[in-house]
Amino acid sequence: MHKERYGTEEIIQIVLNHENKIQYSSINNGEAYNHLKKLHIFDRLSESSYVQFSYGKRWVTINKIIIANQKYYVITIDSNNYKCSKLLIDSVTGLYNRNYWQQINDGSIYHHLYSKKDFSLIFIDIDNLKEINDTFGHLVGDKAIEIVGQAIKNSIRKEDLGIRYGGDEFIILLFNQHKKAAKRVTERVRREIRKLAVEQGMNIQISAGIACTDCLVDLEDMIKMADKNLYRDQLIKVNS
């Protein structure tokens, strides 16, 4: 019964004491502990007094409070916020949008991806979107964008992150993945785009660049590096 309820829009609330033991839970304590572990909440308790992050389709907030000189953590797990946060979701692709990127970049929203040191960034650009728009119209152009977004969703894991960065540009953030894995994901996205495009009688061409935390840690620097590698990818196509 609790498992089914967790899949609905209900909010789960859990209170932990200073020993990280459950003082209160709106669901069974055993299931609550499993959720805390699955969502990596214990890894976040030592941070600031307020933390918010996403995991899959869940929003998690952690409030650290002091009562009678004792520390407590009030944890809220809410899938309804995810569905209602339309300002953070791109309407064409269903991916996160640039607003979400800006909020995780400036720390307003903490994504679980950054609790680990190793992640990779893939920057994707649709090469021929202008040609599609000019030839077939913007509705078909929107369909091309939708296809790329769907291909990204089909090609990454639940814990990874797909973002429509703007226009014909997309970002993929891969949790705990190095450059070789990022290359495999890039090729998977290409194959998925080809498959979906053929089904719609379309030809969609993309370029992609990769950056990893083994050489950079700043997100904006990673975008710049991935963008340079994307430009090289475009040059190779032009000269081939």
Side-chain angles (χ1 to χ4, degrees):
M1 182 174 68
H2 294 298
K3 185 176 180 181
E4 292 175 354
R5 189 169 60 206
Y6 186 66
T8 70
E9 295 182 353
E10 287 193 25
I11 296 173
I12 295 173
Q13 288 193 320
I14 302 165
V15 178
L16 301 179
N17 65 16
H18 66 285
E19 296 177 334
N20 295 347
K21 293 181 180 179
I22 295 175
Q23 294 288 108
Y24 164 82
S25 174
S26 60
I27 59 174
N28 174 275
N29 279 7
E31 293 184 42
Y33 179 81
N34 288 336
H35 293 319
L36 294 172
K37 196 171 180 182
K38 180 181 178 181
L39 299 174
H40 304 286
I41 289 171
F42 289 115
D43 297 336
R44 307 262 59 88
L45 295 181
S46 61
E47 296 184 358
S48 62
S49 59
Y50 179 83
V51 176
Q52 183 182 55
F53 65 97
S54 65
Y55 191 99
K57 293 186 177 181
R58 315 271 191 248
W59 283 96
V60 180
T61 58
I62 304 172
N63 282 286
K64 183 165 64 177
I65 60 175
I66 305 295
I67 300 176
N69 294 324
Q70 293 293 326
K71 181 170 58 179
Y72 293 88
Y73 299 97
V74 180
I75 295 141
T76 304
I77 304 169
D78 189 358
S79 59
N80 186 47
N81 275 348
Y82 174 86
K83 296 173 184 176
C84 292
S85 297
K86 294 182 179 178
L87 291 176
L88 303 178
I89 302 296
D90 176 58
S91 60
V92 178
T93 63
L95 298 174
Y96 289 111
N97 62 20
R98 190 159 183 162
N99 289 333
Y100 184 84
W101 168 263
Q102 289 173 341
Q103 291 198 41
I104 59 175
N105 197 27
D106 66 20
S108 299
I109 292 177
Y110 190 96
H111 192 273
H112 77 283
L113 182 71
Y114 308 115
S115 65
K116 304 295 182 182
K117 293 180 180 179
D118 299 323
F119 62 93
S120 297
L121 184 149
I122 304 170
F123 199 59
I124 292 174
D125 180 83
I126 304 177
D127 296 332
N128 60 334
L129 183 62
K130 185 178 185 305
E131 179 185 336
I132 292 171
N133 283 332
D134 292 346
T135 305
F136 302 105
H138 287 274
L139 288 178
V140 178
D142 283 348
K143 186 63 181 179
I145 292 170
E146 180 186 344
I147 285 172
V148 174
Q150 186 61 50
I152 289 172
K153 286 188 283 188
N154 292 350
S155 303
I156 62 177
R157 303 166 303 171
K158 204 166 22 175
E159 61 264 38
D160 298 326
L161 192 64
I163 300 168
R164 185 181 176 194
Y165 188 65
D168 58 356
E169 296 175 334
F170 299 81
I171 291 172
I172 300 173
L173 289 171
L174 301 174
F175 163 73
N176 201 24
Q177 296 285 345
H178 294 291
K179 193 169 185 178
K180 287 184 179 179
K183 286 181 178 179
R184 289 196 296 270
V185 171
T186 301
E187 290 309 309
R188 197 152 60 232
V189 171
R190 290 186 194 275
R191 290 195 300 271
E192 192 68 18
I193 289 172
R194 283 196 293 269
K195 184 185 82 171
L196 295 174
V198 166
E199 291 173 359
Q200 297 293 324
M202 299 175 67
N203 174 37
I204 302 172
Q205 301 296 324
I206 68 163
S207 295
I210 296 170
C212 303
T213 51
D214 56 1
C215 56
L216 295 166
V217 292
D218 183 84
L219 287 175
E220 290 301 329
D221 286 343
M222 289 182 75
I223 286 186
K224 291 174 185 177
M225 177 62 72
D227 193 29
K228 287 179 182 178
N229 292 331
L230 181 150
Y231 181 64
R232 289 195 194 100
D233 190 28
Q234 291 174 331
L235 288 178
I236 290 169
K237 290 178 182 178
V238 170
N239 295 325
S240 61

